[in-house]
């Protein structure tokens, strides 16, 4: 079977091109495609450019061991690499071998999310400006993921019912979230700026925007319509990495992430907060204000309430949790603390013979 796979690979398209085609046929996202291609290419290079059809379980185990032991990858990255290789063998090469079911998946540890206080969120937002502040306010005010916010279309913002419709969220699910009343004016201004870009594209007969699932063939004028235009468009055109078509894309998440990181540093917050932290803050602060956990689950788009329950663990510590027994003790005020002095003397070489730079 492996010899047939090698022969077909030699006669047909290149292996990574077949991998991309199969991923797109399964309607996987572009990021999944990029990750799977990266891991499969690295796997092939690790084994000296041997064709995967000529390898099997031992080679996959050796590569995964290298990732975990030598490179120190996290369990999530380890699992992603394994998923990519199993997809390559099962979906692209068509090899269903016994070793594929015997390879164990790493279990990622459960981590508590980083949650900022209301005052900390306010200080971070104050350090942002322009569209970056609006994006941060939208993430905190609605619980959207950054990709969901950037992919918003004009038709998804409903000012009448004060609602935002999230299309094809995680798990390809739609949901409805609230539109904060305090953001209505800023969103209208953002749409006015976006409409100016849309009008310029229409005047110059540009390519419009991307539409999902071949809707552009069914509705040829839809890509140029205002309803399908991005709420957060780029100020320039870019090339679609899959089709090569030059058109206007929405804002890239990397630029916003960099601006948010600078805002966190300027606000003097030492914790590793990211734009996704605003989603955690949204859920936690809603629960603190007395919101029902089922409501929070629907707003976040969680399939299981157990996923939402992680935010209740955050509420069990600090001022909202149990009282520490130390707080019940009546102790006199302690004197100002000083650093302890070490009784050990520094080595003689450090005093007499300082280390010389190597030649």
């Amino acid at each position: 079977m492996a010899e047939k796979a090698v022969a077909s690979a030699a006669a047909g398209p290149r292996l990574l091109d077949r991998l991309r085609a199969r991923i797109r046929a399964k309607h996987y996202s572009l990021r999944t495609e990029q990750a799977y291609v990266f891991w499969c290419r690295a796997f092939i290079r690790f084994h000296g450019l041997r064709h995967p059809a000529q390898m099997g379980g031992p080679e996959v185990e050796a590569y995964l061991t290298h990732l975990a032991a030598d490179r120190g990858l996290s369990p999530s990255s380890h699992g992603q690499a394994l998923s990519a290789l199993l997809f390559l063998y099962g979906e692209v090469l068509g090899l269903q071998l016994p070793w594929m079911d015997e390879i164990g998946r790493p279990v990622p540890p459960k981590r508590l999310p980083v949650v900022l206080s209301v005052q900390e969120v306010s200080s971070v937002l104050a350090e942002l400006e322009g569209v970056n502040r609006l994006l941060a306010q939208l993430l905190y005010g609605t619980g959207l993921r950054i990709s969901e916010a950037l992919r918003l279309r004009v038709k998804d913002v409903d000012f009448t019912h004060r609602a935002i419709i999230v299309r094809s969220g995680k798990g390809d699910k739609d949901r409805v979230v609230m539109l904060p009343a305090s953001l209505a004016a800023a969103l209208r201004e953002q749409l006015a700026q976006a409409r100016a870009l849309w009008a310029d594209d229409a005047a110059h007969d540009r390519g419009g925007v991307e539409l999902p699932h071949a809707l552009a063939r069914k509705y040829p004028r839809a890509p140029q319509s205002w309803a399908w235009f991005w709420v957060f468009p780029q100020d320039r055109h870019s090339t679609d990495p899959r089709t090569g078509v030059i058109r206007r894309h929405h804002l890239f998440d990397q630029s916003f992430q960099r601006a948010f990181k600078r805002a966190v540093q300027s606000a003097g917050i030492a914790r590793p907060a990211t734009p996704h932290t605003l989603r955690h803050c949204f859920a936690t602060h809603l629960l603190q204000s007395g919101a029902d956990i089922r409501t929070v689950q629907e707003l976040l788009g969680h399939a299981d309430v157990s996923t939402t329950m992680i935010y209740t663990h955050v509420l069990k510590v600090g001022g909202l949790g149990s009282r520490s027994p130390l707080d019940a003790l009546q102790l006199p005020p302690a004197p100002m603390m000083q650093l302890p002095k070490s009784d050990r003397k520094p080595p003689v070489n450090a005093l007499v013979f300082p280390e010389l730079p190597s030649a």
Side-chain angles (χ1 to χ4, degrees), residues 236-247:
R236 61 181 63 88
H237 292 79
S238 57
T239 303
D240 191 306
R242 282 185 167 176
T243 63
V245 177
I246 300 177
R247 54 192 168 198

Side-chain angles (χ1 to χ4, degrees), residues 53-73:
Q54 299 175 340
M55 299 182 286
E59 288 79 8
V60 173
E61 288 279 8
Y63 178 63
L64 295 177
T65 302
H66 162 72
L67 295 180
D70 300 334
R71 296 188 54 188
L73 257 64

Side-chain angles (χ1 to χ4, degrees), residues 38 95 120 122 130 162 165-166 176 193 199 208 218 266 295 325 336:
F38 171 81
L95 300 177
E120 289 174 329
S122 178
R162 287 175 50 186
I165 303 175
V166 182
V176 181
Q193 297 177 6
K218 187 176 182 180
S266 300
T295 302
M336 182 177 296

Side-chain angles (χ1 to χ4, degrees), residues 354-359:
E355 183 179 357
L356 297 177
S358 57

Side-chain angles (χ1 to χ4, degrees), residues 151-183:
R151 290 201 306 261
L152 283 177
R153 315 267 184 167
V154 174
K155 65 183 182 61
D156 299 330
V157 182
D158 188 349
F159 289 100
T160 303
H161 298 93
R162 287 175 50 186
I164 295 177
I165 303 175
V166 182
R167 305 287 186 182
S168 300
K170 190 173 182 179
D172 201 20
K173 296 180 295 185
D174 295 354
R175 72 181 190 277
V176 181
V177 299
M178 76 283 282
L179 194 163
S182 57
L183 284 186

Side-chain angles (χ1 to χ4, degrees), residues 229-305:
F229 200 70
W230 307 112
V231 175
F232 299 101
Q234 284 186 1
D235 57 355
R236 61 181 63 88
H237 292 79
S238 57
T239 303
D240 191 306
R242 282 185 167 176
T243 63
V245 177
I246 300 177
R247 54 192 168 198
R248 195 176 295 277
H249 197 54
H250 57 68
L251 291 177
F252 289 126
D253 55 352
Q254 291 90 344
S255 58
F256 174 64
Q257 288 171 346
R258 288 192 291 266
F260 188 85
K261 181 179 180 179
R262 290 193 297 266
V264 171
Q265 294 173 346
S266 300
I269 298 174
R271 282 175 288 169
T274 65
H276 198 73
T277 303
L278 297 176
R279 176 174 164 89
H280 300 322
C281 297
F282 165 82
T284 305
H285 296 168
L286 268 184
L287 292 174
Q288 287 178 349
S289 63
D292 180 71
I293 192 169
R294 292 290 182 178
T295 302
V296 178
Q297 175 193 355
E298 293 181 1
L299 292 173
L300 294 177
H302 289 163
D304 194 341
V305 71

